[in-house]
Amino acid sequence: MIKNSYVQLIRKEDLNTDVCVSMMISMYFGIEMQSALQWSNEHRYTELIKAQVMIDQGKSEMLLAKLYTGTPIGMIIYTEADDSPVRRIDALIVSRRFRGNGIGKMLLRAAKGDMDLHTFAPAVAVDWYLKHGFRVLDKQANGTIEMTTISQHVDLHLNYPLPVFDQVDLQILHNFKQLQ
């Protein structure tokens, strides 16, 4: 564990003003998901906008791991289920240079609180999640693996809030599609 690091809750005001937030969101959706799941530019950008809208609307939370110098080294975004004490991990990334130092574990612990976790992990991350208390539920058609920390073997039917796009968001997505 890197001793000179901490976790910061990102407020919706920070979404468009904190360069560290933009950098980590862009790294996850722009680089990692293209590499792990071969997402198209349009799909990555749509997912990035969804994440930002969910945080802005208070439906999701974002935590950044930073060095005390202010350097961002990791991020987790999660959404609480509507009807269960479960949080879905929507994004989790640690900068390559800091992997293997407990940063992901620190973010996972901070996001978990006293709840169980649920995620759809890319295949390259499955072993890491297994090592941190998750179990495999099912392989998804999109190439992800559904995983959870819920110990009992029950059929999960979790309901999560969805983003509500305003006209500006819809126009941005429309303009991006036109560029393709």
Side-chain angles (χ1 to χ4, degrees):
M1 175 78 71
I2 296 177
K3 291 183 178 21
N4 62 343
S5 62
Y6 65 98
V7 174
Q8 173 188 0
L9 174 65
I10 299 303
R11 300 163 307 160
K12 68 180 190 176
E13 298 83 35
D14 299 327
L15 277 175
N16 297 315
T17 59
D18 187 332
V19 70
C20 296
V21 171
S22 298
M23 186 175 96
M24 294 308 292
I25 287 178
S26 296
M27 187 186 321
Y28 179 80
F29 290 103
I31 299 170
E32 290 295 316
M33 288 301 93
Q34 197 288 323
S35 173
L37 297 171
Q38 289 74 52
W39 282 359
S40 68
N41 289 342
E42 181 182 339
H43 186 79
R44 291 186 320 227
Y45 189 73
T46 301
E47 292 302 313
L48 182 148
I49 295 294
K50 279 186 197 176
Q52 290 177 320
V53 167
M54 291 287 285
I55 295 165
D56 185 56
Q57 293 173 351
K59 296 175 181 178
S60 295
E61 290 191 343
M62 178 180 181
L63 303 174
L64 277 187
K66 290 183 171 183
L67 297 177
Y68 282 117
T69 60
T71 304
I73 56 176
M75 170 197 80
I76 191 168
I77 299 173
Y78 58 89
T79 305
E80 202 164 309
D82 286 332
D83 52 0
S84 300
V86 177
R87 290 181 173 152
R88 178 188 65 215
I89 298 170
D90 301 312
L92 174 59
I93 186 171
V94 174
S95 298
R96 291 184 193 279
R97 181 172 146 209
F98 294 97
R99 291 180 184 171
N101 289 296
I103 302 303
K105 183 177 181 177
M106 178 176 71
L107 286 164
L108 204 58
R109 192 176 316 129
K112 186 177 187 323
D114 60 354
M115 299 187 151
D116 278 302
L117 297 172
H118 176 245
T119 195
F120 294 91
V124 297
V126 169
D127 287 341
W128 185 88
Y129 279 104
L130 290 170
K131 184 173 127 183
H132 290 90
F134 284 73
R135 65 183 177 85
V136 172
L137 294 175
D138 197 15
K139 183 172 167 84
Q140 303 297 300
N142 66 1
T144 62
I145 312 299
E146 185 177 13
M147 303 182 80
T148 187
T149 60
I150 298 172
S151 57
Q152 66 268 24
H153 293 278
V154 294
D155 246 355
L156 286 183
H157 299 287
L158 301 170
N159 295 310
Y160 293 100
L162 297 172
V164 177
F165 294 114
D166 63 18
Q167 285 304 101
V168 172
D169 299 321
L170 292 172
Q171 188 61 49
I172 290 169
L173 290 171
H174 174 75
N175 291 347
F176 188 79
K177 286 180 184 179
Q178 297 302 317
L179 291 174
Q180 298 294 311

